[in-house]
Amino acid sequence: MLGLVLAAPALAQALLDRNHGQLALAPHTRYLHDGTGTMDVADAWREVDQGRFEALPATGAAFGFQHGAFWFHVPVSNQDTRQRQWLLVQEYPLSDRLDLWVRHADGRVEHHAGGDHLPFDARAVRYRYPNFMLELPPGERADLLLRVQSQSSMQVPLTLYTPATFIELSRDAQFAIGIYYGILVALFFYNLVLWLALRDASYFWYLFHIGAFGLVLLTLNGLGFEYLWPGSPWLADLSVPLSICLAQVGMQQFARVFLRLRTAWPAGDRVTIGCIAYFMALGIASVWLPYRIATPLASASVFLSIGWILTVTLVAMRRGDRSARLFLLAWATFLLGTAMFTLLAFGLLPKSFLTGYGVQIGSALEMLLLSVALSYRYASLRNENERIVRRAKLQLESQVLERTGELRNALAQLETAHARLREASRHDPLTGLYNRGWFRERFESLLEAARLQEQPLSLLMVDLDHFKAINDRHGHLVGDDCLRRCARIVEAVLRPHHALVARYGGEEFIAALPGMDVHRARELAEEICERLRAGPIRTRGPEVMVTASIGVHVVDTADPSPGIASDLALQVVDTALYAAKSAGRDQVHVAGG
């Protein structure tokens, strides 16, 4: 065996020292492609010792979509006497299965496993890239042998970090990603408001495109597996082709509506509909198709999709659509970024910052430019309408009246949309009850009316007991179901008494009962507790028992200052609530009782 090792081609060790907190391992890495995927670790060590591993190609550790498994060997030597722990990170999030063996100088071998076919919690560090925490004694050589088998693109850029360096770099990376998604979210809500106000189909399909492409990048960056489906390797695989197909459907439909292909180019419109049908069928089929077929097919189809969008945009420009110029510029930046990322996935370009993040850069520019293009097109349509009105004034008075009627109708629609937005702003989106801000506004009016009419006004503050434990044990979706059901129970008890019921925050509800004295208010509070106690809450998951603590207070309406009186009343009922919780929960406490 020693002779075989001496006969093997020399491979420079990766030297870890205190002057560098990170080290890219590509220059020190050799690989072997096991086309059948049947080689075991003992065979791989023999191949290492006999020098049959090869240096990485010019594209680095990016091999595209390949069958079988890839083995990578890296000899390392820790020269930093102060640092024993190093984090090995594979900076590509979609690999299915990784097995790492660490052979120490004393012959001891450690095994680690990772990849998105294991639950996310199996990772050494909760991070979007697969990673392994290694114990490397100073002054000793260790051999790293990594086996990667995946139906995704074979990209294995390996880097060793000290924990401190990794924390710093990952923080910066997460900050940059946060900026990107912040741009997407800002654009989404900005155009959502415009769509709600204008009801223009272009804005809807633009929103669909932003949402679907955001899902694509969440998947490709590993953030989807980290935050959305950390316990489902099946969804981690399915999300890649499915999100790509959804994004392409949104892109094609947005181009179709924005460029008005139905009237401007009917033949091109039919081809676009065919593209949409193809991606919808591929998205549905990806549920059953093997990942190794669905993902390369969806990735390759992106080129055809963007190529067709560029074609219809050029035709629209030739036919005089001025807004198509901005549209073309937007898709050109997106095409460049997507092309680099896809060529990287097929192993035709090396891994770098530009190829790895080109799709984010290109898509951010594309979405900003598309938003500008939408605004430009809307301004053009508005200017065109103004020219029509001016021409109509010069022609016939009847045409002026007709156009004026149309504008009034549009203003009425805008007023309706604003009214809907105002009404939506008063309600809590989860429970459908009024929100805290609207309750405060209405409560002061009720307090003033009670003072003028010399009638009592009671307050109930309801807090669901141990609700954090429900979220921790069953998840936030079950917790949301509990909140909705409990809100319905509170509302069912109090609404017949003309109560103002609102979600006060978190798992707290508040209700104002005009004309209700303390005895009747306490009876209603006890009824709420009994209703909750009567049986478990049905959710999308398990049935959950929920109880509540309730504080009751009758407001002093003699105070002539409504603002001060309302603040004092809320403080007193809150104190009563905490007294109920301190006394053992699942009970009612009356302020001053």
Side-chain angles (χ1 to χ4, degrees):
M1 179 64 70
L2 179 60
L4 291 174
V5 174
L6 294 175
L11 179 64
Q13 297 182 38
L15 300 179
L16 310 176
D17 57 56
R18 68 179 61 183
N19 297 322
H20 300 89
Q22 69 179 95
L23 180 65
L25 299 183
H28 312 281
T29 303
R30 289 184 178 270
Y31 81 100
L32 179 68
H33 182 199
D34 173 18
T36 62
T38 58
M39 180 183 294
D40 62 20
V41 64
D43 294 333
W45 281 123
R46 279 194 294 272
E47 297 295 316
V48 169
D49 295 336
Q50 294 174 8
R52 293 180 181 173
F53 277 51
E54 304 175 16
L56 294 178
T59 54
F63 299 91
F65 294 92
Q66 298 284 350
H67 293 287
F70 277 75
W71 293 82
F72 300 90
H73 172 237
V74 187
V76 299
S77 179
N78 183 11
Q79 304 299 313
D80 187 350
T81 57
R82 300 176 303 176
Q83 184 68 48
R84 296 177 63 90
Q85 286 192 327
W86 292 79
L87 187 70
L88 177 64
V89 180
Q90 184 219 6
E91 296 176 342
Y92 179 69
L94 302 181
S95 294
D96 294 343
R97 174 76 187 200
L98 293 86
D99 287 279
L100 174 68
W101 290 268
V102 183
R103 185 171 65 181
H104 294 276
D106 58 5
R108 179 169 46 91
V109 177
E110 298 175 4
H111 174 250
H112 306 267
D116 64 9
H117 275 195
L118 295 177
F120 188 81
D121 289 339
R123 300 185 176 183
V125 175
R126 292 183 57 84
Y127 189 61
R128 57 197 179 98
Y129 291 150
N131 56 84
F132 310 95
M133 188 65 73
L134 307 181
E135 187 79 16
L136 301 176
E140 294 183 7
R141 166 175 166 148
D143 287 282
L144 310 183
L145 182 63
L146 178 67
R147 181 183 187 271
V148 183
Q149 187 164 13
S150 180
Q151 298 182 73
S152 180
S153 174
M154 185 61 65
Q155 299 179 43
V156 194
L158 300 174
T159 306
L160 274 171
Y161 297 91
T162 64
T165 301
F166 175 77
I167 290 173
E168 182 177 351
L169 294 178
S170 62
R171 179 198 61 193
D172 295 341
Q174 295 292 78
F175 177 73
I177 291 174
I179 292 176
Y180 174 80
Y181 283 106
I183 294 173
L184 258 63
V185 170
L187 287 174
F188 182 89
F189 282 103
Y190 169 72
N191 288 279
L192 176 63
V193 173
L194 291 178
W195 175 65
L196 291 173
L198 303 176
R199 296 295 177 180
D200 187 331
S202 298
Y203 285 100
F204 174 81
W205 291 110
Y206 178 69
L207 293 172
F208 186 95
H209 167 56
I210 289 180
F213 197 78
L215 182 61
V216 171
L217 293 180
L218 277 173
T219 300
L220 296 181
N221 289 333
L223 295 173
F225 189 46
E226 182 175 358
Y227 294 109
L228 301 182
W229 45 81
S232 177
W234 178 78
L235 272 178
D237 280 351
L238 176 62
S239 61
V240 178
L242 184 60
S243 61
I244 291 175
C245 291
L246 286 174
Q248 297 308 308
V249 168
M251 289 164 56
Q252 292 288 341
Q253 181 64 14
F254 175 66
R256 178 171 173 259
V257 173
F258 184 88
L259 299 174
R260 291 167 286 186
L261 291 182
R262 180 181 297 178
T263 55
W265 189 22
D269 184 62
R270 289 191 290 271
V271 175
T272 302
I273 293 174
C275 292
I276 294 172
Y278 165 76
F279 281 109
M280 290 178 66
L282 181 57
I284 295 172
S286 64
V287 177
W288 296 280
L289 282 175
Y291 183 88
R292 66 178 182 276
I293 296 175
T295 298
L297 184 59
S299 300
S301 299
V302 171
F303 285 111
L304 298 177
S305 176
I306 298 178
W308 176 247
I309 290 176
L310 291 176
T311 300
V312 298
T313 305
L314 290 172
V315 171
M317 286 178 58
R318 290 188 62 183
R319 298 189 177 189
D321 189 340
R322 294 182 178 180
S323 59
R325 297 177 183 176
L326 274 174
F327 193 81
L328 177 63
L329 180 60
W331 286 115
T333 59
F334 179 71
L335 173 61
L336 182 60
T338 304
M340 288 190 298
F341 187 85
T342 307
L343 290 172
L344 172 64
F346 282 95
L348 301 177
L349 284 179
K351 176 81 172 183
S352 67
F353 175 83
L354 191 58
T355 57
Y357 290 94
V359 67
Q360 284 94 329
I361 298 171
S363 62
L365 291 173
E366 174 246 0
M367 291 176 187
L368 286 170
L369 290 171
L370 285 181
S371 185
V372 173
L374 278 170
S375 301
Y376 178 80
R377 199 191 76 148
Y378 179 74
S380 299
L381 292 174
R382 184 186 60 192
N383 293 335
E384 182 181 351
N385 287 339
E386 291 175 354
R387 286 195 298 271
I388 291 174
V389 171
R390 287 195 297 268
R391 186 168 60 250
K393 287 181 179 179
L394 297 175
Q395 293 175 351
L396 294 171
E397 185 176 357
S398 61
Q399 293 180 356
V400 174
L401 294 175
E402 179 182 355
R403 175 58 61 183
T404 302
E406 292 176 358
L407 291 175
R408 286 175 179 172
N409 183 49
L411 289 174
Q413 291 178 355
L414 285 175
E415 285 183 349
T416 301
H418 285 303
R420 290 174 181 172
L421 288 174
R422 281 198 306 271
E423 182 62 24
S425 69
R426 297 173 179 175
H427 289 83
D428 171 59
L430 177 62
T431 62
L433 301 178
Y434 288 118
N435 57 32
R436 180 173 181 166
W438 178 243
F439 177 85
R440 289 296 301 265
E441 183 177 339
R442 288 286 297 121
F443 178 62
E444 294 196 1
S445 301
L446 292 175
L447 187 60
E448 179 66 14
R451 187 178 67 82
L452 293 175
Q453 298 170 12
E454 298 183 354
Q455 290 186 344
L457 176 62
S458 295
L459 268 179
L460 301 184
M461 184 169 285
V462 183
D463 182 81
L464 303 183
D465 296 330
H466 305 295
F467 194 78
K468 183 178 184 301
I470 295 175
N471 280 331
D472 292 342
R473 180 177 303 172
H474 303 292
H476 288 277
L477 293 179
V478 170
D480 289 348
D481 286 346
C482 290
L483 279 175
R484 281 190 286 266
R485 297 295 175 87
C486 292
R488 297 286 79 78
I489 291 172
V490 173
E491 190 177 40
V493 173
L494 299 182
R495 275 292 166 85
H497 302 280
H498 308 292
L500 174 64
V501 185
R503 184 183 179 190
Y504 199 65
E507 62 273 16
E508 291 185 352
F509 306 98
I510 193 164
L513 298 157
M516 187 77 65
D517 62 20
V518 66
H519 301 293
R520 184 59 180 143
R522 182 183 185 114
E523 290 175 358
L524 292 177
E526 294 286 359
E527 183 178 349
I528 292 172
C529 287
E530 291 173 4
R531 289 270 192 103
L532 292 174
R533 205 182 294 130
I537 299 295
R538 291 184 178 180
T539 70
R540 70 191 71 192
E543 292 187 344
V544 181
M545 283 298 302
V546 179
T547 61
S549 301
I550 304 178
V552 180
H553 172 54
V554 176
V555 184
D556 180 11
T557 58
D559 192 330
S561 304
I564 297 175
S566 63
D567 290 339
L568 181 59
L570 291 172
Q571 182 179 354
V572 172
V573 77
D574 188 62
T575 303
L577 169 63
Y578 275 92
K581 293 169 66 176
S582 299
R585 304 178 187 269
D586 189 19
Q587 58 183 272
V588 176
H589 185 86
V590 178

